[in-house]
Amino acid sequence: MSRGFDVVEVATNYSWMYCHDAKLPVLARRIFIPVFHEDEDGKLIMAGYQMRAIPSLSVCEEPKYYTAKGFAKSRVLYNLQNAKKHNIVVITEGITDAARVGPQAISLLGKTMSEMQLELLCKQCKNSRAAVMLDEDATSSAYRIMTRLNSGGVMDNHLRKGAFMVRLPKGDPGDYKREWLLEYINECDRASKRLRVNEVRHDSP
């Protein structure tokens, strides 16, 4: 609540919960965040979870995010089941970044995109456009992800409508209000399309 999240929204749409007591002290008084994944039959199952520390409340504040043992983060994309329904899919680093943006956002659960995550995104969002919006300190990683999504390759791992970068002035998406982020993403999208049109005109004979 102190960061401006809607408690009802994150509980209803993302199934976040509060864990007050736990056998392991590191898990007590943290936010429990399940990560779901669709199996081959389209059934939604929980692939793993992360538990986020709450400053001045959690028994142990380190690590900031506690990840379930055995959870293969590189094999899933957080909130993909919702984001794939949108024309623009916003790629973020952390779970709270995705929740700040809204249902059209996914989280890599890190700064890089694995081959499995790339395949998942391109298979389930092939007709969408991607906005790569990582934290301020991950510009080079964001550029590599955008390039991979635009370049295709042997596995045809690219998005038909392309990808563009959203470089934040500072910090991460969780530092901003949703309304501002969505407008900023749209501005970056329009700028990217204008740049592409100019490049095509320049290359024309």
Side-chain angles (χ1 to χ4, degrees):
M1 290 177 67
S2 66
R3 296 194 68 193
F5 284 93
D6 185 321
V7 176
V8 175
E9 179 190 39
V10 296
T12 303
N13 297 344
Y14 301 104
S15 300
W16 291 15
M17 291 174 275
Y18 171 66
C19 176
H20 186 72
D21 293 316
K23 291 183 179 179
L24 294 177
V26 70
L27 304 183
R29 300 177 188 174
R30 282 176 172 254
I31 300 171
F32 174 81
I33 305 174
V35 180
F36 297 102
H37 175 71
E38 287 184 333
D39 62 15
E40 295 180 354
D41 298 323
K43 182 180 179 181
L44 204 62
I45 59 175
M46 192 173 82
Y49 65 83
Q50 286 193 328
M51 297 189 73
R52 201 223 194 257
I54 305 173
S56 302
L57 181 62
S58 298
V59 174
C60 299
E61 295 188 26
E62 294 295 335
K64 183 177 181 180
Y65 284 94
Y66 178 91
T67 302
K69 289 180 172 58
F71 175 29
K73 297 188 297 181
S74 63
R75 300 179 65 85
V76 299
L77 289 168
Y78 179 77
N79 196 49
L80 179 61
Q81 71 276 9
N82 294 315
K84 68 180 183 179
K85 303 171 185 176
H86 296 263
N87 292 326
I88 293 181
V89 176
V90 184
I91 302 171
T92 66
E93 284 186 37
I95 287 175
T96 54
D97 295 330
R100 174 69 85 203
V101 176
Q104 65 270 60
I106 61 174
S107 166
L108 299 173
L109 303 170
K111 295 181 183 294
T112 59
M113 175 176 278
S114 68
E115 287 300 320
M116 177 67 76
Q117 290 174 324
L118 179 68
E119 290 180 19
L120 278 173
L121 180 66
C122 292
K123 180 180 179 180
Q124 298 197 34
C125 305
K126 59 184 178 182
N127 293 317
S128 300
R129 186 160 164 79
V132 186
M133 185 171 65
L134 305 190
D135 294 358
E136 177 193 12
D137 60 355
T139 300
S140 58
S141 180
Y143 181 79
R144 285 193 294 271
I145 292 171
M146 180 193 68
T147 302
R148 290 172 70 192
L149 290 172
N150 284 327
S151 64
V154 177
M155 296 295 293
D156 195 32
N157 282 334
H158 70 285
L159 299 179
R160 293 174 183 174
K161 295 184 179 179
F164 62 97
M165 276 184 60
V166 179
R167 297 180 63 177
L168 293 171
K170 61 179 181 179
D172 60 69
D175 296 327
Y176 299 85
K177 292 184 178 181
R178 177 176 296 175
E179 293 76 12
W180 185 89
L181 285 171
L182 295 179
E183 179 56 34
Y184 188 60
I185 290 168
N186 287 332
E187 288 179 5
C188 292
D189 185 21
R190 291 190 290 267
S192 174
K193 289 177 179 177
R194 287 196 298 269
L195 179 62
R196 178 57 183 162
V197 169
N198 290 334
E199 288 177 348
V200 171
R201 288 174 179 172
H202 181 74
D203 292 338
S204 299

